Structure formats: structure tokens, C-alpha cells
Amino acid sequence: MHLMKKDIYNLVTVTDGKTDSAAIIKVLSDMKAGRLKCDLKLLNYYEEVPVCYSSKITDVDADSIEMAVHEHQALIIKHDNSTLIKSTHFHNELGVHCYAAYVSVNKKTAILHNFAYAHIRAERREAVRVKIHGTMPVTFCYDNVAINGTMIDLSGNGVSFHSALVPATDNDQPGFLQFTLNGTPVEVPGSFVRTINQNDGQNICMLQMRPDRKSDTLIGQFIYQRQVEIIMQLKEGHVLE
């Protein structure tokens, strides 16, 4: 399931919009001047995968900053027209959300403005989650019942999939998940978490997993492979398609 904006961050008002923005600009200005150590990292998500690189401030204006950014970050900022900034110097170590006024992938430059504090919710996840491309069958089995579906995304400790059927059971129902990764069958113990009903007759089933060492290695390799593919897409500019 795609990360929605509300799953990634939520805006926070500390004093008021104008005062908060001025406080953020002050921190960034102090970094540019060397009064604070520059520990800035920019964060975006593409197909569930975090894209996060360190960045340097090259100029500070009254209400915007110019930054030297990694080319991968520039690509996705241009795609999203926004980014999240992380630094230990922001109020209560909150993140900052901002929009892009200008982005050049070739120059590896971004001008950012409209700053606001934000809780970065997606970072609270225990594991990186990747979206599944193509059709990957998955089955959840419990009490001689088999719920078949098509996987949506996968992490080291959870999975979600589309299914026409909904498990007729309470939350935390234990069972086994069966699917195949890179030609290798995987069976891991798991438990049903909840179902999200959709208008098209398909349902999204969300489950937790408790993989053993072998399964955990296979899942980890698959997730790493997907991360590499995502970065290659970014590098090749396919994120803009």
C-alpha cells in the first residue's frame, strides 16, 4: 500500500506559522554562518523506500535557502515538489517540511521555502517497506482456511496484500504466510492485523510476520534488491515518468 502524505509526516505548529518559519530560517542561517554544526539531511520517499542524503546550505535568503543536494535527492524533490529536512538543531528535534521553489538535477541544486515543523511519522517504522512490482501471489493459512491474494508491499516484519476474501477471524489470528521470492518458496509464521475494505470489491489485508533466520535473510535480500532498483530508477530519471 502506498505511503500517503499523512503516513509520512504531519505538520506541527509550535507558536504560529510565521514565527515557526522564522525560527527555522534562523537555525539554517546559523548553520550557514558556522555558528551551528551543519547536520542537515533531506528525506523523501519513493515507492515506500526512503531516499535520504546529507546536504549543504549554499545561500540563505529572508524566506528561502539554496542547497547543494545529491542528484538522487534532486530528482525526487523535483518529482514531489517538496522534501523533509532533518537536524538535531530544530525545536525539540522535530523535522521540517518545505516546498521546492527551484530544482536543478544537473546542477544538484534546490531552493527551498515555506518551512513548517513536522513529525516524521514514517521514520517510526521498525523496518523498511518496499512496494511490489508485478503480480506476486501470497497465501495466509490458518485453521484449514487459505486466503489467497496479491502482495502489495513487504517489509522484514509485515506484509499487505489484495484479496477478494477477508479472514473471518479476530485480529492477532496466528497462521502462516506463503509466497515466493526470486524463485525460492517462503513460509513464515504470521498473524492477521486488520483489513481495509475498498469500493472495488478488493480488500487490503495487513499481517505481521515472524520470519526465522533463513526467511529473514531471503526477505532482506529481496528488499535490498528493490532498494537498488529504486535508486537506479532515480539515477536514470525514471522517477519523473
Side-chain angles (χ1 to χ4, degrees):
M1 185 169 56
H2 263 310
L3 273 174
M4 304 297 290
K5 184 172 75 173
K6 64 181 177 62
D7 298 319
I8 298 174
Y9 70 91
N10 63 284
L11 297 180
V12 176
T13 301
V14 175
T15 305
D16 58 66
K18 186 175 180 179
T19 303
D20 288 356
S21 180
I24 293 165
I25 289 283
K26 176 65 165 57
V27 169
L28 298 171
S29 180
D30 285 347
M31 287 185 189
K32 175 66 173 65
R35 291 185 290 270
L36 290 175
K37 180 181 177 181
C38 185
D39 62 350
L40 293 182
K41 288 187 176 181
L42 302 183
L43 172 66
N44 293 82
Y45 283 82
Y46 179 63
E47 293 199 2
E48 313 291 347
V49 175
V51 178
C52 184
Y53 292 97
S54 297
S55 183
K56 292 184 179 180
I57 302 169
T58 55
D59 194 21
V60 179
D61 204 347
D63 59 359
S64 65
I65 61 169
E66 181 178 290
M67 304 192 75
V69 300
H70 193 284
E71 62 178 321
H72 296 168
Q73 202 85 52
L75 278 164
I76 197 166
I77 291 173
K78 191 166 187 176
H79 177 263
D80 290 351
N81 194 39
S82 65
T83 189
L84 292 160
I85 308 176
K86 301 197 300 176
S87 169
T88 58
H89 300 299
F90 293 136
H91 180 80
N92 286 346
E93 296 193 7
L94 288 166
V96 166
H97 176 268
C98 57
Y99 289 96
Y102 168 83
V103 183
S104 171
V105 177
N106 292 334
K107 295 179 181 178
K108 302 177 186 177
T109 298
I111 297 177
L112 308 174
H113 66 153
N114 287 4
F115 302 98
Y117 290 117
H119 281 299
I120 303 177
R121 299 165 60 86
E123 286 205 312
R124 297 176 186 172
R125 288 181 169 186
E126 296 179 4
V128 173
R129 185 182 304 175
V130 294
K131 181 184 176 185
I132 303 301
H133 275 207
T135 301
M136 182 183 291
V138 58
T139 301
F140 177 55
C141 302
Y142 69 96
D143 296 341
N144 296 320
V145 176
I147 304 295
N148 298 311
T150 303
M151 194 178 296
I152 302 169
D153 56 36
L154 175 70
S155 75
N157 57 14
V159 65
S160 68
F161 62 89
H162 283 299
S163 177
L165 297 176
V166 177
T169 180
D170 296 329
N171 293 352
D172 300 323
Q173 168 66 51
F176 285 89
L177 280 154
Q178 299 170 333
F179 48 91
T180 300
L181 295 178
N182 296 326
T184 302
V186 178
E187 180 173 285
V188 297
S191 57
F192 175 70
V193 176
R194 65 190 175 101
T195 298
I196 300 174
N197 298 314
Q198 295 187 306
N199 295 330
D200 60 3
Q202 289 286 315
N203 305 286
I204 297 176
C205 297
M206 306 180 73
L207 297 99
Q208 288 186 328
M209 296 190 301
R210 295 178 296 280
D212 58 21
R213 182 175 296 180
K214 180 181 177 181
S215 297
D216 188 59
T217 298
L218 287 170
I219 294 168
Q221 289 172 343
F222 178 82
I223 289 173
Y224 177 74
Q225 177 184 318
R226 283 291 297 129
Q227 288 178 292
V228 171
E229 290 171 1
I230 292 297
I231 295 300
M232 290 303 297
Q233 289 175 9
L234 289 169
K235 191 172 183 180
E236 295 168 5
H238 291 171
V239 69
L240 302 179
E241 294 180 357

